[in-house]
Structures are given as C-alpha cells and as structure tokens.
Amino acid sequence: MRLAFVGLLLAASTSPVLAEGRFSAGLGLGLTQSAVDAGADANHTLNLFGRVQLTNRLAGQLEVTRIATEDGSGTDLRAVAGVVVFDLGRGRVVPTILAGLGIDNETNAYQDTDYTNAFLGLGLEYRAPNGLTVGADLRMGSRTADAQPVYTGNPVPGTLARTAPSSLSDGEYRAARVTVGVRF
C-alpha cells in the first residue's frame, strides 16, 4: 500500500496542471521522542496528511500518524492532529511555521490511554513546478494524558511484567520528519 501511494504521488506530480492547486496530500516519515526518554532510542513515525490552502500564506492541514516502537512490547500509538501552516516566503523553497493540536491513543497489553497534544514547529519545503513537494520539519510539543491510564492487567495472568512497555511519556516531546506530497 505504501509503495502504491508513493507511485501515485510520483505519477500525479508529472502533470503541470497540478502545480498551482489549492489542495495537497502526502506521506511523512520521521522520529519522535519524549524529553524524559532522551536517553532511549526514538520511536519511528509514519504519517499521512492532507492540506488545503486558505490564503496565499496560510493553510490548514490534517495529519494521521502511526508511531511504532521497536522493543517488541506491542505498544500501538495512533494520533490525529489539526495543523495550521504559515508560509514565511514565496517561491520554490518555502520556510514554514507549524502549530498544531491533536489527540492520540496508546494501547498495549497493560493499558489504554488517551492523550491531548499541542506543538509548534519550523519547516522547509521545496515546491516543484510540476506539483511535487518535498519537505522537512522539526517540532516541539507537550503531551498530556486526558485521564489516568486504564490498566488492563498483565498479558499472562499469574506472572510479573519484566519490563514496562514502550510509550511516549507525558510532558515535552520532540519530533522530526521528512515529507513527500503532491499539490492538486
């Protein structure tokens, strides 16, 4: 599916008609890490986004993200965020400021927790004349649990958990990602 989506982006980006479109869609890959977990490996992210240009410099964006942990804990993190993107310039290479609010859910064999998050970021996008966009951004934010985690117990009754599952902890976090998309 990922390969088909990337192929669709590349095929669609060859049309010069798409270059000045008001809408964008794309795929992002990145890393995210809680400030309290700075000594641990960062978690990998896969992100899909859709953007609508509201004015010459202001756009609204919806992002759906899956955060993968690498430790085999079975932790599943999914997030949805609304983002305001402000272009700081015009042309092919455009610096941007991002501000977003979102919700996410963390589920594993031990607990199910909902979070609210907010972030600010800086980005840089290359917008090719044929509609293809390539970008990168850095974000810093805060993540807060909406309620106390709902513990679902040990996955194997009668045993003790050896290690806590991976998660993104409450509090500050940072993220970096690269994106590829198409304007239409």
Side-chain angles (χ1 to χ4, degrees), residues 16-47:
V17 174
L18 302 177
E20 299 306 320
R22 194 174 150 208
F23 300 97
S24 306
L27 173 72
L29 298 172
L31 300 171
T32 188
Q33 184 178 52
S34 301
V36 298
D37 300 325
D41 290 339
N43 295 306
H44 295 267
T45 63
L46 174 63
N47 167 291

Side-chain angles (χ1 to χ4, degrees), residues 3-184:
L3 186 58
F5 183 73
V6 171
L8 177 65
L9 285 176
L10 293 175
S13 69
T14 60
S15 171
V17 174
L18 302 177
E20 299 306 320
R22 194 174 150 208
F23 300 97
S24 306
L27 173 72
L29 298 172
L31 300 171
T32 188
Q33 184 178 52
S34 301
V36 298
D37 300 325
D41 290 339
N43 295 306
H44 295 267
T45 63
L46 174 63
N47 167 291
L48 296 174
F49 68 90
R51 183 185 295 179
V52 61
Q53 199 70 36
L54 303 171
T55 69
N56 285 341
R57 295 190 182 259
L58 188 67
Q61 181 167 295
L62 180 66
E63 299 178 353
V64 178
T65 304
R66 171 120 194 255
I67 303 169
T69 57
E70 301 291 327
D71 66 352
S73 66
T75 301
D76 188 28
L77 294 113
R78 296 176 190 266
V80 175
V83 183
V84 175
V85 181
F86 184 75
D87 294 347
L88 295 175
R90 302 198 79 182
R92 296 289 166 226
V93 178
V94 180
T96 60
I97 294 176
L98 307 136
L101 292 171
I103 56 173
D104 56 280
N105 176 268
E106 175 182 340
T107 305
N108 57 46
Y110 303 93
Q111 67 186 18
D112 184 5
T113 311
D114 292 323
Y115 292 87
T116 303
N117 64 65
F119 64 86
L120 291 173
L122 294 174
L124 188 64
E125 289 185 357
Y126 172 72
R127 298 175 181 169
N130 63 358
L132 182 68
T133 62
V134 178
D137 63 60
L138 299 172
R139 302 171 179 199
M140 292 192 71
S142 180
R143 186 172 187 255
T144 306
D146 293 340
Q148 291 296 324
V150 176
Y151 292 97
T152 58
N154 259 340
V156 179
T159 65
L160 296 174
R162 293 184 185 174
T163 59
S166 288
S167 68
L168 284 175
S169 301
D170 250 3
E172 292 182 21
Y173 72 92
R174 55 188 164 243
R177 71 179 188 150
V178 294
T179 61
V180 62
V182 63
R183 293 187 314 276
F184 53 94

